[in-house]
Amino acid sequence: MNGLLVIDKPGGMTSRDAVNRVQRWFPKKTKIGHTGTLDPLATGVLVVCVGAATRLADYVQAMGKTYASRFRLGATSTSDDADGTVTDTPGAVPPTGEAVEASLQRFVGVIEQLPPAVSALKVDGRRAHDLVRQGKEVTLAPRPVRIDAVRLTGYDWPFADVEVDCGKGTYIRSIARDLGAALGCGGMVQTLRRARVGCYLAEDAVTLDLDPGEVGKHLMPMSSALSTLPAVRISAEVVTRFRQGQTVATAGEASPQPGEEVVVIDGFQEVIGIGAVLPNGFVKPTLVLPS
């Protein structure tokens, strides 16, 4: 089996735990991998790559994401969410809804974000969360992330309901923490749900209670992982050459630009692989998918 499976990860387990459950649905030695860690507290879309689709994990990870979160203001946490040790902020003054909305908009764009200390990022080869649990002080460097939109969908002190559209590597916990700091009252994530990863939606996801015999009906084609790339067609005569790693000419009307990464399809709209466009318009294989 080759394809992508959209799981609705429940709270209270790691992404790895969820993938281990999914692994049992497939024959032994089937390659399985996920495309973006969700914290144990978080629920929602976890895209699992099966078989040859594991080679496309980076393309799924690069897709935009949408999160729905409830922020708790007036408090902070050692992990920036409800799974950590929570401390109420003494004398916290409830901000107005307008102030919350205005502060949220400051996060839109490409910003420098400081990741939570309790995270899977590595420090000198060790996971930051492991070092924190050992009582060691962890210092992480800010890094650029892309936040496309932030929407305040509800506010009733101390809770602010927020939706975030963002790119790879964004920590919603950091937004909650930094929002609370900007408002002078402290902030953390109370609940978090990932509603979308690219074209993969929570409403299309299956639960971990799925009957293993039904898995095949829910596998999405590998081409779905490449939906953000332009496509070029090659003729049936050169498909074998492309699969053998040879540079080939395109047969369609598309005019890709030199250096552009493209999805290569045949006349039946079957995805053959991924290629790089050369200055002469030919396409050089960079990844070939099994037939």
Side-chain angles (χ1 to χ4, degrees):
M1 289 186 177
N2 301 307
L4 298 108
L5 191 64
V6 185
I7 300 297
D8 190 340
K9 187 190 87 67
M13 68 165 56
T14 66
S15 297
R16 186 67 253 173
D17 290 337
V19 171
N20 289 343
R21 289 273 296 274
V22 172
Q23 183 90 53
R24 303 172 194 166
W25 300 347
F26 296 91
K28 290 183 178 180
K29 298 185 179 181
T30 300
K31 289 185 178 180
I32 302 284
H34 68 77
T35 58
T37 300
L38 281 174
D39 296 327
L41 173 141
T43 67
V45 174
L46 183 67
V47 183
V48 177
C49 297
V50 181
T54 55
R55 302 174 66 190
L56 304 177
D58 288 347
Y59 294 92
V60 179
Q61 289 176 345
M63 292 177 170
K65 300 169 179 66
T66 297
Y67 293 89
S69 182
R70 170 161 284 187
F71 292 177
R72 177 181 171 185
L73 302 176
T76 58
S77 165
T78 53
S79 61
D80 298 322
D81 67 11
D83 276 350
T85 301
V86 177
T87 303
D88 290 333
T89 303
V93 177
T96 65
E98 290 76 11
V100 175
E101 176 71 49
S103 291
L104 282 171
Q105 296 314 307
R106 298 175 188 171
F107 296 100
V108 176
V110 177
I111 65 171
E112 290 289 319
Q113 185 183 73
L114 180 66
V118 179
S119 68
L121 298 178
K122 290 187 175 181
V123 178
D124 296 329
R126 302 281 304 280
R127 298 288 185 187
H129 56 67
D130 290 335
L131 295 173
V132 171
R133 292 187 182 108
Q134 293 171 12
K136 298 180 180 179
E137 187 172 336
V138 173
T139 302
L140 297 173
R143 58 183 189 169
V145 298
R146 191 192 79 245
I147 299 177
D148 300 315
V150 182
R151 296 175 290 277
L152 180 65
T153 60
Y155 178 54
D156 185 10
W157 173 265
F159 298 116
D161 293 326
V162 177
E163 290 181 349
V164 181
D165 297 333
C166 60
K168 177 182 178 182
T170 302
Y171 280 94
I172 307 303
R173 287 183 285 151
S174 292
I175 298 176
R177 177 201 65 209
D178 295 344
L179 172 67
L183 294 169
C185 61
M188 52 175 271
V189 162
Q190 188 69 27
T191 65
L192 179 62
R193 180 167 178 78
R194 187 154 64 193
R196 178 187 67 90
V197 175
C199 59
Y200 307 108
L201 308 177
E203 48 263 42
D204 299 325
V206 301
T207 69
L208 294 180
D209 296 324
L210 180 70
D211 181 345
E214 300 291 310
V215 171
K217 298 179 181 179
H218 297 279
L219 270 183
M220 300 186 70
M222 290 190 287
S223 58
S224 64
L226 304 173
S227 58
T228 59
L229 296 180
V232 298
R233 182 170 59 85
I234 60 176
S235 66
E237 291 77 16
V238 301
V239 167
T240 298
R241 288 171 51 198
F242 183 86
R243 289 192 182 282
Q244 293 173 341
Q246 299 181 44
T247 298
V248 300
T250 61
E253 298 178 355
S255 300
Q257 298 299 310
E260 191 172 19
E261 188 175 45
V262 295
V263 179
V264 179
I265 61 175
D266 63 15
F268 299 99
Q269 302 299 307
E270 180 79 18
V271 175
I272 308 301
I274 301 170
V277 180
L278 302 179
N280 61 2
F282 280 43
V283 178
K284 178 181 180 180
T286 55
L287 186 153
V288 176
L289 297 176
S291 56

